[in-house]
Amino acid sequence: MQAAQGRLADMRVVLVCALLPLLSASHACPKECSCNSNTKVVDCRGQGLYDIPRRLHPDTQELYLQDNRIRGLGSMAFREIPLVRIVDLSNNSITSVSPTALLGLRTLQRLSLAHNSLRELDKRLLGSIRSLSHLDVSHNSLWGLPGAMGDSLRNLSHLGLAYNRLTRMDRSLLEALTRLDSITLRGNPLRCDCQLIGLKLWLETYLFKGGVVDEVLCSQPEEMKGRELQKVPYQLFHACMTTSYHYLFANIHHLESERLLRGHTHGNHAHPSSHTLHVPMAMGEGFGGGGGGGGGSLPECEPKQRPRPVNLRHAIATVIITGVVCGIVCLMMLAAAVYGCAYAAIMAKYQRELKKNEELAAVQGADNATADEKEPLENAIA
């Protein structure tokens, strides 16, 4: 009996030894890559790959795929490595990314798609990812980022958008980037018209809070080409201020964010002149350097502050209500005038008919009197 148990134990050991190589081979390092089991880093740079390598170890933390020939990312392209934190796909030939390409990567922190040929990114791409802190999509052909992507970028500290085809930015997306430390916008054909007012206002608050931006240069229209957006005075946007709803609603958002900022800074005993952040730009002076401005320049802005309504929405509502009331009053006055004219015309016609009847009655009375006088005379003659 003991001999049989011994043979059974030996068979188990042999079976385990036979299975171990197969288990390790199922997650072996791809032959095109180099893997570090201690740091859990997989390096596949410059290997001429056309697709994401397979059989990656599920504990992989960092995946580097720069300088390859990858042309697209399919659905759940990284399903084998759900714990990956860094994915670098820069300098490939990627033209399309499936909306579910990153599905399941809940711990992703850094994603680079720079130096590719992307034209657009689907709003569902980042899905439920909330840990992303670094996103670089510079050197592509993007026309913009969808505003709905803002929920997935709330923890973002760096956003690279340089050298794309951006002509404007969605301000709802920018407002969601509450933790952004740096942003690159260089090399985009920005059109400095009414629809860029939102970006200009956002940049003022962003720079005031210490954010970093490389440079934001206007490419259109021709008279603003090469000028920094931050230094373009508001006077040049005068037409937008008087005729464009883009400026109106952008300014409403700006005032609300400014009010929240004032409340936050006052609650933390911040600099008392924080409410003047929009004044230097309105006067065409701009913020220099990192955008925080010098401590001595802010007090000079106090006398230049322009009076603004406490609540612009209430002011607009008041104007609309006043216009409606005035319109109703004017209609009532017009109705009264029409009624008065009609009444006067009817009374004049009545008076004319009454006078005519009186004259006719007088003529008939005179004729009757003459007839009465003639009758006795005729009788006397007879």
Side-chain angles (χ1 to χ4, degrees):
M1 186 69 177
Q2 292 180 353
Q5 291 178 349
R7 286 195 297 273
L8 181 60
D10 292 340
M11 290 176 63
R12 288 176 180 175
V13 171
V14 171
L15 182 60
V16 169
C17 292
L19 289 176
L20 279 177
L22 294 176
L23 292 174
S24 60
S26 64
H27 294 299
C29 184
K31 62 181 181 179
E32 305 91 350
C33 309
S34 61
C35 305
N36 190 319
S37 58
N38 295 325
T39 59
K40 300 177 182 178
V41 174
V42 178
D43 190 346
C44 308
R45 289 178 287 186
Q47 298 298 315
L49 299 176
Y50 288 93
D51 201 357
I52 307 299
R54 299 302 177 192
R55 295 189 304 170
L56 293 169
H57 198 281
D59 291 338
T60 300
Q61 297 284 306
E62 301 178 16
L63 177 60
Y64 297 99
L65 292 164
Q66 305 98 301
D67 306 313
N68 282 290
R69 300 175 183 177
I70 301 172
R71 296 183 178 180
L73 299 179
S75 178
M76 299 186 70
F78 304 96
R79 57 182 174 272
E80 294 182 351
I81 49 174
L83 302 178
V84 68
R85 295 183 298 106
I86 299 176
V87 174
D88 195 331
L89 287 156
S90 58
N91 200 25
N92 277 275
S93 303
I94 301 174
T95 58
S96 63
V97 178
S98 170
T100 56
L102 306 178
L103 191 64
L105 304 185
R106 295 182 177 273
T107 61
L108 185 64
Q109 297 177 7
R110 298 173 66 93
L111 173 64
S112 178
L113 292 166
H115 293 275
N116 281 285
S117 303
L118 294 170
R119 292 182 176 273
E120 62 179 354
L121 293 177
D122 193 278
K123 63 182 180 181
R124 299 166 293 174
L125 176 62
L126 299 178
S128 59
I129 299 176
R130 297 292 182 270
S131 56
L132 196 65
S133 62
H134 183 106
L135 176 62
D136 189 358
V137 290
S138 57
H139 293 272
N140 278 280
S141 300
L142 295 173
W143 294 95
L145 292 179
M149 194 177 281
D151 289 338
S152 301
L153 301 178
R154 294 191 179 277
N155 292 317
L156 205 66
S157 60
H158 173 78
L159 176 59
L161 294 170
Y163 297 100
N164 278 282
R165 297 183 180 179
L166 305 177
T167 57
R168 56 183 56 91
M169 288 289 295
D170 189 326
R171 190 170 181 187
S172 63
L173 173 67
L174 296 173
E175 294 290 354
L177 306 179
T178 54
R179 298 187 179 182
L180 194 66
D181 295 327
S182 61
I183 183 172
T184 60
L185 291 167
R186 184 195 308 268
N188 282 288
L190 295 174
R191 182 176 180 82
C192 296
D193 58 7
C194 300
Q195 296 192 30
L196 211 64
I197 285 285
L199 175 59
K200 180 175 175 63
L201 294 172
W202 177 81
L203 278 174
E204 290 183 11
T205 303
Y206 173 70
L207 292 173
F208 178 81
K209 293 162 64 176
V212 177
V213 61
D214 49 359
E215 63 178 7
V216 186
L217 299 181
C218 300
S219 294
Q220 303 175 53
E222 191 64 29
E223 58 270 19
M224 293 190 188
K225 187 173 183 179
R227 299 188 63 176
E228 290 190 34
L229 178 61
Q230 301 97 299
K231 296 182 179 180
V232 174
Y234 277 103
Q235 284 77 0
L236 296 183
F237 290 95
H238 178 69
C240 306
M241 297 179 187
T242 56
T243 62
S244 175
Y245 284 103
H246 291 286
Y247 170 79
L248 178 62
F249 291 113
N251 200 37
I252 289 173
H253 287 300
H254 174 62
L255 291 173
E256 289 181 347
S257 62
E258 189 179 78
R259 177 173 57 81
L260 294 174
L261 177 62
R262 286 203 305 269
H264 175 72
T265 52
H266 289 170
N268 293 283
H269 305 285
H271 197 285
S273 60
S274 62
H275 63 283
T276 62
L277 66 93
H278 64 280
V279 177
M281 293 301 295
M283 300 303 295
E285 295 174 5
F287 292 106
S297 63
L298 289 176
E300 296 178 0
C301 299
E302 286 287 351
K304 300 178 183 179
Q305 184 176 6
R306 295 180 178 179
R308 294 180 182 271
V310 176
N311 192 317
L312 196 55
R313 287 180 176 174
H314 290 173
I316 295 171
T318 302
V319 171
I320 293 174
I321 294 172
T322 304
V324 172
V325 172
C326 290
I328 294 174
V329 172
C330 290
L331 290 175
M332 293 176 65
M333 293 176 64
L334 180 61
V338 171
Y339 174 78
C341 292
Y343 180 78
I346 293 173
M347 290 302 296
K349 183 179 180 180
Y350 173 75
Q351 291 294 333
R352 285 196 302 270
E353 292 180 353
L354 183 61
K355 186 176 181 180
K356 183 178 180 181
N357 291 335
E358 290 177 350
E359 291 176 352
L360 184 60
V363 171
Q364 291 178 351
D367 292 342
N368 293 335
T370 304
D372 291 341
E373 291 177 358
K374 287 181 179 181
E375 185 177 351
L377 182 59
E378 291 175 352
N379 292 334
I381 295 173

